[in-house]
Amino acid sequence: MSEPRTHQHHALDYIELAVTELERAKRFYGEAFGWRFNDHGPGYAGIRSPRGDAGVGGLRTTDEVRTGGPLVLLYSADLDRSVEAVRNAGGQVVNGPYEFPGGRRFHFTDPSGNELGVWAEA
């Protein structure tokens, strides 16, 4: 079942991550964060919204991941469990966890080399 979706002007609407191995990336994000996917051919998987089937992003297969793209931050209700989940799924924590005004966060790389962050409230 798909939920209605509204788009807000200048709001983050969709994020696309370049990955070198689609199935490995799906497995990593599924294990670490519980993400679900809609397959759209051999080189692309849509990331489903936590509230239904609507797409909030995608994984796009590429030969090489370029560094220096935007930093995507995910929220966590339990940062220490998220650190453990990332490591168990095959990711590498590259910074933190550390405190910042209002909470804690860490950065990790996925198996393709994309760097993302996860934060939690203090």
Side-chain angles (χ1 to χ4, degrees):
M1 180 174 185
S2 183
E3 77 279 5
R5 183 151 183 229
T6 60
H7 302 278
Q8 296 181 355
H9 183 62
H10 287 173
L12 183 62
D13 190 66
Y14 194 87
I15 187 76
E16 191 172 85
L17 299 173
V19 299
T20 55
E21 296 177 45
L22 185 59
E23 291 305 316
R24 184 176 180 197
K26 287 171 46 180
R27 188 171 45 256
F28 170 77
Y29 285 105
E31 289 177 16
F33 301 110
W35 290 5
R36 297 175 304 130
F37 303 92
N38 293 320
D39 291 321
H40 299 291
Y44 198 89
I47 302 166
R48 292 184 191 176
S49 167
R51 295 180 292 278
D53 291 336
V56 296
L59 303 175
R60 176 182 45 84
T61 303
T62 185
D63 292 333
E64 168 179 32
V65 174
R66 292 180 286 143
T67 59
L71 179 64
V72 175
L73 291 171
L74 309 174
Y75 174 78
S76 174
D78 186 335
L79 197 71
D80 295 324
R81 285 187 63 198
S82 295
V83 168
E84 183 179 332
V86 164
R87 287 183 174 141
N88 289 341
Q92 181 177 358
V93 174
V94 295
N95 191 2
Y98 61 89
E99 293 185 20
F100 71 95
R104 295 174 59 223
R105 91 186 218 186
F106 72 96
H107 292 200
F108 69 92
T109 54
D110 71 9
S112 294
N114 291 296
E115 182 175 337
L116 287 82
V118 182
W119 77 279
E121 295 173 307

